[in-house]
Amino acid sequence: MRGTDALRRSDAVARSYRAALARLVRGEGRHADHAGRVVRISPASVAREAGRSRNPLYTTHRDILDEIEAAAGGPTPATDLAARIAELDPIWRT
């Protein structure tokens, strides 16, 4: 029975990290440091958003670290905005 409880707890922790990552990717962070801001996606920001420690990411949930790394390199609201500004920049210089 104890093993099952530990697995459930581990699954719940993983879900909270993934939900936090998804919110940050969408630019919808809920943490006071993230709300209404563009946040650089990192293990620290995901853990902060999830309300959890970073340590389990490195010890137990290394697969989520890979997801964080992939998300950090992908499009985010900040990169979308930067691309749009670069696209419009020549128009505003004329």
Side-chain angles (χ1 to χ4, degrees), residues 22-67:
R23 286 193 302 273
L24 293 179
V25 167
R26 291 190 311 266
E28 299 173 355
R30 296 179 188 161
H31 188 275
D33 292 345
H34 302 160
R37 298 184 177 141
V38 176
V39 177
R40 185 175 67 87
I41 296 174
S42 68
S45 64
V46 171
R48 187 178 311 114
E49 178 67 22
R52 299 191 175 274
S53 171
R54 286 179 295 164
N55 293 343
L57 287 172
Y58 296 101
T59 58
T60 310
H61 302 287
R62 295 197 59 85
D63 56 325
I64 298 174
L65 280 176
D66 294 338
E67 295 172 29

Short mmCIF file of all heavy atoms in Angstrom, two decimals, residues 22-67:
data_model
loop_
_atom_site.label_atom_id
_atom_site.label_comp_id
_atom_site.label_asym_id
_atom_site.label_seq_id
_atom_site.Cartn_x
_atom_site.Cartn_y
_atom_site.Cartn_z
N ALA A 22 2.77 24.59 -18.40
CA ALA A 22 1.78 24.95 -19.41
C ALA A 22 1.29 26.39 -19.21
O ALA A 22 1.16 27.14 -20.18
CB ALA A 22 0.61 23.97 -19.38
N ARG A 23 1.05 26.78 -17.97
CA ARG A 23 0.61 28.16 -17.71
C ARG A 23 1.68 29.16 -18.12
O ARG A 23 1.37 30.20 -18.73
CB ARG A 23 0.27 28.35 -16.22
CG ARG A 23 -1.03 27.71 -15.81
CD ARG A 23 -1.49 28.17 -14.44
NE ARG A 23 -0.53 27.92 -13.37
CZ ARG A 23 -0.44 26.79 -12.67
NH1 ARG A 23 -1.26 25.78 -12.94
NH2 ARG A 23 0.44 26.66 -11.70
N LEU A 24 2.93 28.87 -17.81
CA LEU A 24 4.01 29.79 -18.17
C LEU A 24 4.18 29.88 -19.68
O LEU A 24 4.42 30.97 -20.22
CB LEU A 24 5.32 29.37 -17.51
CG LEU A 24 5.36 29.51 -15.99
CD1 LEU A 24 6.70 29.03 -15.45
CD2 LEU A 24 5.08 30.94 -15.55
N VAL A 25 4.06 28.77 -20.36
CA VAL A 25 4.18 28.78 -21.83
C VAL A 25 3.07 29.64 -22.43
O VAL A 25 3.30 30.39 -23.38
CB VAL A 25 4.14 27.34 -22.39
CG1 VAL A 25 3.95 27.34 -23.89
CG2 VAL A 25 5.43 26.61 -22.02
N ARG A 26 1.88 29.57 -21.86
CA ARG A 26 0.75 30.37 -22.35
C ARG A 26 0.82 31.82 -21.89
O ARG A 26 0.03 32.65 -22.34
CB ARG A 26 -0.58 29.78 -21.88
CG ARG A 26 -0.95 28.46 -22.50
CD ARG A 26 -2.38 28.06 -22.17
NE ARG A 26 -2.71 28.16 -20.77
CZ ARG A 26 -2.65 27.17 -19.87
NH1 ARG A 26 -2.25 25.97 -20.25
NH2 ARG A 26 -2.99 27.37 -18.61
N GLY A 27 1.75 32.13 -20.99
CA GLY A 27 1.84 33.48 -20.45
C GLY A 27 0.76 33.79 -19.44
O GLY A 27 0.37 34.93 -19.26
N GLU A 28 0.29 32.76 -18.74
CA GLU A 28 -0.80 32.90 -17.78
C GLU A 28 -0.38 32.51 -16.37
O GLU A 28 -1.15 31.87 -15.64
CB GLU A 28 -1.99 32.04 -18.21
CG GLU A 28 -2.55 32.40 -19.56
CD GLU A 28 -3.60 31.43 -20.06
OE1 GLU A 28 -3.85 30.40 -19.40
OE2 GLU A 28 -4.15 31.70 -21.13
N GLY A 29 0.82 32.87 -15.98
CA GLY A 29 1.31 32.53 -14.65
C GLY A 29 0.41 33.09 -13.56
O GLY A 29 -0.14 34.18 -13.69
N ARG A 30 0.28 32.35 -12.47
CA ARG A 30 -0.56 32.75 -11.34
C ARG A 30 0.25 33.21 -10.14
O ARG A 30 -0.28 33.89 -9.28
CB ARG A 30 -1.45 31.58 -10.91
CG ARG A 30 -2.42 31.16 -11.97
CD ARG A 30 -3.23 29.99 -11.47
NE ARG A 30 -4.06 29.43 -12.52
CZ ARG A 30 -4.57 28.23 -12.48
NH1 ARG A 30 -4.37 27.44 -11.44
NH2 ARG A 30 -5.32 27.79 -13.47
N HIS A 31 1.49 32.81 -10.05
CA HIS A 31 2.34 33.21 -8.93
C HIS A 31 2.49 34.73 -8.96
O HIS A 31 2.50 35.35 -10.02
CB HIS A 31 3.71 32.53 -9.04
CG HIS A 31 4.57 32.73 -7.85
ND1 HIS A 31 5.35 33.85 -7.70
CD2 HIS A 31 4.77 31.97 -6.75
CE1 HIS A 31 6.00 33.77 -6.56
NE2 HIS A 31 5.67 32.63 -5.96
N ALA A 32 2.61 35.33 -7.79
CA ALA A 32 2.71 36.79 -7.70
C ALA A 32 3.86 37.35 -8.54
O ALA A 32 3.76 38.44 -9.09
CB ALA A 32 2.87 37.21 -6.25
N ASP A 33 4.95 36.62 -8.63
CA ASP A 33 6.09 37.06 -9.44
C ASP A 33 5.87 36.89 -10.94
O ASP A 33 6.63 37.41 -11.75
CB ASP A 33 7.37 36.30 -9.06
CG ASP A 33 7.85 36.63 -7.66
OD1 ASP A 33 7.39 37.64 -7.10
OD2 ASP A 33 8.68 35.88 -7.13
N HIS A 34 4.84 36.12 -11.32
CA HIS A 34 4.63 35.80 -12.73
C HIS A 34 3.37 36.43 -13.32
O HIS A 34 3.30 36.60 -14.53
CB HIS A 34 4.52 34.28 -12.92
CG HIS A 34 5.70 33.53 -12.43
ND1 HIS A 34 5.66 32.20 -12.12
CD2 HIS A 34 6.98 33.90 -12.17
CE1 HIS A 34 6.84 31.79 -11.70
NE2 HIS A 34 7.67 32.81 -11.72
N ALA A 35 2.40 36.73 -12.50
CA ALA A 35 1.11 37.20 -12.99
C ALA A 35 1.27 38.49 -13.79
O ALA A 35 1.87 39.46 -13.32
CB ALA A 35 0.15 37.41 -11.83
N GLY A 36 0.77 38.48 -15.01
CA GLY A 36 0.81 39.65 -15.86
C GLY A 36 2.17 39.97 -16.43
O GLY A 36 2.37 41.05 -16.99
N ARG A 37 3.11 39.06 -16.33
CA ARG A 37 4.47 39.28 -16.82
C ARG A 37 4.88 38.17 -17.77
O ARG A 37 4.40 37.06 -17.68
CB ARG A 37 5.45 39.32 -15.66
CG ARG A 37 5.19 40.43 -14.71
CD ARG A 37 6.24 40.46 -13.64
NE ARG A 37 5.99 41.60 -12.78
CZ ARG A 37 6.14 41.58 -11.49
NH1 ARG A 37 6.56 40.50 -10.89
NH2 ARG A 37 5.89 42.64 -10.78
N VAL A 38 5.82 38.50 -18.62
CA VAL A 38 6.44 37.49 -19.45
C VAL A 38 7.58 36.91 -18.62
O VAL A 38 8.44 37.64 -18.13
CB VAL A 38 6.98 38.08 -20.76
CG1 VAL A 38 7.71 37.03 -21.56
CG2 VAL A 38 5.83 38.67 -21.57
N VAL A 39 7.57 35.61 -18.43
CA VAL A 39 8.52 34.94 -17.55
C VAL A 39 9.42 34.03 -18.36
O VAL A 39 8.95 33.27 -19.20
CB VAL A 39 7.75 34.10 -16.49
CG1 VAL A 39 8.72 33.35 -15.59
CG2 VAL A 39 6.84 35.00 -15.67
N ARG A 40 10.73 34.11 -18.09
CA ARG A 40 11.67 33.19 -18.73
C ARG A 40 11.43 31.81 -18.14
O ARG A 40 11.41 31.63 -16.92
CB ARG A 40 13.11 33.63 -18.46
CG ARG A 40 14.14 32.77 -19.20
CD ARG A 40 15.53 33.31 -19.01
NE ARG A 40 15.99 33.21 -17.64
CZ ARG A 40 16.60 32.12 -17.15
NH1 ARG A 40 16.81 31.08 -17.91
NH2 ARG A 40 16.99 32.10 -15.90
N ILE A 41 11.22 30.85 -19.00
CA ILE A 41 10.93 29.49 -18.55
C ILE A 41 12.23 28.81 -18.14
O ILE A 41 13.16 28.71 -18.93
CB ILE A 41 10.19 28.71 -19.64
CG1 ILE A 41 8.84 29.38 -19.89
CG2 ILE A 41 10.01 27.26 -19.22
CD1 ILE A 41 8.06 28.80 -21.03
N SER A 42 12.24 28.37 -16.89
CA SER A 42 13.41 27.69 -16.32
C SER A 42 12.90 26.75 -15.24
O SER A 42 11.75 26.85 -14.81
CB SER A 42 14.36 28.71 -15.72
OG SER A 42 13.77 29.32 -14.58
N PRO A 43 13.74 25.82 -14.79
CA PRO A 43 13.32 24.96 -13.67
C PRO A 43 12.88 25.77 -12.45
O PRO A 43 11.89 25.45 -11.80
CB PRO A 43 14.55 24.12 -13.37
CG PRO A 43 15.27 24.04 -14.68
CD PRO A 43 15.05 25.40 -15.31
N ALA A 44 13.57 26.86 -12.17
CA ALA A 44 13.21 27.69 -11.02
C ALA A 44 11.85 28.34 -11.19
O ALA A 44 11.03 28.34 -10.26
CB ALA A 44 14.27 28.76 -10.78
N SER A 45 11.57 28.88 -12.37
CA SER A 45 10.28 29.54 -12.57
C SER A 45 9.13 28.54 -12.57
O SER A 45 8.05 28.83 -12.06
CB SER A 45 10.28 30.38 -13.85
OG SER A 45 10.44 29.58 -14.99
N VAL A 46 9.36 27.36 -13.13
CA VAL A 46 8.32 26.32 -13.12
C VAL A 46 8.05 25.87 -11.70
O VAL A 46 6.89 25.74 -11.28
CB VAL A 46 8.71 25.13 -14.03
CG1 VAL A 46 7.74 23.96 -13.85
CG2 VAL A 46 8.73 25.57 -15.49
N ALA A 47 9.10 25.63 -10.92
CA ALA A 47 8.91 25.21 -9.53
C ALA A 47 8.20 26.30 -8.73
O ALA A 47 7.29 26.00 -7.95
CB ALA A 47 10.26 24.88 -8.90
N ARG A 48 8.58 27.54 -8.94
CA ARG A 48 7.93 28.66 -8.24
C ARG A 48 6.45 28.71 -8.60
O ARG A 48 5.59 28.86 -7.74
CB ARG A 48 8.61 29.97 -8.61
CG ARG A 48 8.14 31.16 -7.83
CD ARG A 48 8.89 32.44 -8.18
NE ARG A 48 10.34 32.28 -8.18
CZ ARG A 48 11.11 32.37 -9.26
NH1 ARG A 48 10.59 32.63 -10.44
NH2 ARG A 48 12.41 32.19 -9.18
N GLU A 49 6.15 28.59 -9.88
CA GLU A 49 4.76 28.62 -10.34
C GLU A 49 3.96 27.46 -9.76
O GLU A 49 2.79 27.60 -9.43
CB GLU A 49 4.72 28.59 -11.88
CG GLU A 49 3.34 28.58 -12.47
CD GLU A 49 2.55 29.85 -12.25
OE1 GLU A 49 3.15 30.92 -12.00
OE2 GLU A 49 1.31 29.79 -12.33
N ALA A 50 4.60 26.30 -9.64
CA ALA A 50 3.93 25.11 -9.08
C ALA A 50 3.82 25.17 -7.57
O ALA A 50 3.08 24.39 -6.97
CB ALA A 50 4.67 23.85 -9.50
N GLY A 51 4.57 26.06 -6.95
CA GLY A 51 4.57 26.13 -5.49
C GLY A 51 5.33 24.98 -4.86
O GLY A 51 5.01 24.52 -3.76
N ARG A 52 6.34 24.51 -5.58
CA ARG A 52 7.12 23.36 -5.12
C ARG A 52 8.61 23.67 -5.21
O ARG A 52 9.03 24.65 -5.82
CB ARG A 52 6.79 22.14 -5.96
CG ARG A 52 5.33 21.74 -5.87
CD ARG A 52 5.09 20.41 -6.49
NE ARG A 52 3.72 19.98 -6.30
CZ ARG A 52 3.26 19.36 -5.23
NH1 ARG A 52 4.06 19.07 -4.24
NH2 ARG A 52 1.99 19.00 -5.14
N SER A 53 9.40 22.78 -4.65
CA SER A 53 10.85 22.90 -4.69
C SER A 53 11.38 22.48 -6.06
O SER A 53 10.76 21.69 -6.77
CB SER A 53 11.45 21.99 -3.62
OG SER A 53 12.85 21.91 -3.76
N ARG A 54 12.56 22.99 -6.41
CA ARG A 54 13.22 22.54 -7.64
C ARG A 54 13.84 21.16 -7.48
O ARG A 54 14.02 20.45 -8.46
CB ARG A 54 14.35 23.51 -8.02
CG ARG A 54 13.89 24.80 -8.57
CD ARG A 54 15.06 25.68 -8.88
NE ARG A 54 15.73 26.03 -7.63
CZ ARG A 54 16.95 26.53 -7.55
NH1 ARG A 54 17.65 26.74 -8.64
NH2 ARG A 54 17.47 26.84 -6.39
N ASN A 55 14.18 20.78 -6.27
CA ASN A 55 14.92 19.53 -6.05
C ASN A 55 14.27 18.31 -6.69
O ASN A 55 14.97 17.52 -7.33
CB ASN A 55 15.15 19.31 -4.57
CG ASN A 55 16.08 20.33 -3.98
OD1 ASN A 55 16.80 21.01 -4.70
ND2 ASN A 55 16.06 20.47 -2.66
N PRO A 56 12.97 18.09 -6.56
CA PRO A 56 12.38 16.90 -7.19
C PRO A 56 12.53 16.90 -8.71
O PRO A 56 12.56 15.83 -9.33
CB PRO A 56 10.91 16.97 -6.79
CG PRO A 56 10.90 17.76 -5.54
CD PRO A 56 11.99 18.77 -5.71
N LEU A 57 12.62 18.07 -9.33
CA LEU A 57 12.84 18.10 -10.77
C LEU A 57 14.15 17.43 -11.13
O LEU A 57 14.25 16.72 -12.13
CB LEU A 57 12.85 19.55 -11.29
CG LEU A 57 11.51 20.26 -11.34
CD1 LEU A 57 11.71 21.73 -11.66
CD2 LEU A 57 10.59 19.60 -12.36
N TYR A 58 15.16 17.65 -10.31
CA TYR A 58 16.48 17.09 -10.59
C TYR A 58 16.65 15.66 -10.10
O TYR A 58 17.47 14.92 -10.64
CB TYR A 58 17.56 17.98 -9.96
CG TYR A 58 17.58 19.36 -10.56
CD1 TYR A 58 17.01 20.43 -9.89
CD2 TYR A 58 18.16 19.58 -11.80
CE1 TYR A 58 17.01 21.70 -10.46
CE2 TYR A 58 18.17 20.83 -12.37
CZ TYR A 58 17.59 21.89 -11.69
OH TYR A 58 17.59 23.14 -12.25
N THR A 59 15.87 15.27 -9.10
CA THR A 59 16.06 13.93 -8.53
C THR A 59 15.04 12.92 -9.03
O THR A 59 15.39 11.77 -9.27
CB THR A 59 15.99 13.98 -6.99
OG1 THR A 59 14.73 14.52 -6.60
CG2 THR A 59 17.12 14.81 -6.43
N THR A 60 13.80 13.33 -9.17
CA THR A 60 12.73 12.38 -9.47
C THR A 60 12.08 12.59 -10.83
O THR A 60 11.65 11.65 -11.47
CB THR A 60 11.63 12.48 -8.39
OG1 THR A 60 12.24 12.41 -7.11
CG2 THR A 60 10.61 11.37 -8.52
N HIS A 61 12.01 13.84 -11.27
CA HIS A 61 11.23 14.17 -12.48
C HIS A 61 12.12 14.75 -13.57
O HIS A 61 11.83 15.81 -14.14
CB HIS A 61 10.11 15.15 -12.11
CG HIS A 61 9.19 14.65 -11.07
ND1 HIS A 61 8.27 13.65 -11.32
CD2 HIS A 61 9.06 14.97 -9.76
CE1 HIS A 61 7.60 13.40 -10.22
NE2 HIS A 61 8.06 14.17 -9.26
N ARG A 62 13.18 14.04 -13.90
CA ARG A 62 14.11 14.54 -14.92
C ARG A 62 13.44 14.65 -16.28
O ARG A 62 13.84 15.48 -17.10
CB ARG A 62 15.34 13.65 -14.98
CG ARG A 62 16.14 13.74 -13.66
CD ARG A 62 17.53 13.23 -13.76
NE ARG A 62 18.35 13.92 -14.74
CZ ARG A 62 19.01 15.05 -14.52
NH1 ARG A 62 18.92 15.64 -13.36
NH2 ARG A 62 19.74 15.57 -15.45
N ASP A 63 12.41 13.86 -16.54
CA ASP A 63 11.69 13.97 -17.80
C ASP A 63 11.02 15.34 -17.94
O ASP A 63 10.94 15.90 -19.03
CB ASP A 63 10.66 12.85 -17.95
CG ASP A 63 9.67 12.80 -16.80
OD1 ASP A 63 10.05 13.09 -15.64
OD2 ASP A 63 8.50 12.44 -17.05
N ILE A 64 10.60 15.90 -16.83
CA ILE A 64 9.99 17.23 -16.87
C ILE A 64 11.06 18.29 -17.15
O ILE A 64 10.78 19.29 -17.82
CB ILE A 64 9.22 17.51 -15.56
CG1 ILE A 64 8.08 16.49 -15.43
CG2 ILE A 64 8.67 18.93 -15.54
CD1 ILE A 64 7.32 16.56 -14.13
N LEU A 65 12.27 18.06 -16.68
CA LEU A 65 13.37 18.98 -17.03
C LEU A 65 13.54 19.05 -18.54
O LEU A 65 13.78 20.13 -19.10
CB LEU A 65 14.68 18.54 -16.39
CG LEU A 65 14.88 18.88 -14.93
CD1 LEU A 65 16.20 18.28 -14.43
CD2 LEU A 65 14.84 20.37 -14.70
N ASP A 66 13.42 17.91 -19.22
CA ASP A 66 13.51 17.89 -20.68
C ASP A 66 12.38 18.71 -21.30
O ASP A 66 12.58 19.44 -22.28
CB ASP A 66 13.47 16.46 -21.21
CG ASP A 66 14.69 15.65 -20.81
OD1 ASP A 66 15.74 16.25 -20.50
OD2 ASP A 66 14.57 14.40 -20.79
N GLU A 67 11.18 18.61 -20.73
CA GLU A 67 10.04 19.38 -21.22
C GLU A 67 10.27 20.88 -21.01
O GLU A 67 9.92 21.70 -21.86
CB GLU A 67 8.76 18.94 -20.53
CG GLU A 67 8.36 17.51 -20.85
CD GLU A 67 7.21 17.01 -20.01
OE1 GLU A 67 6.37 17.84 -19.58
OE2 GLU A 67 7.12 15.79 -19.78
#
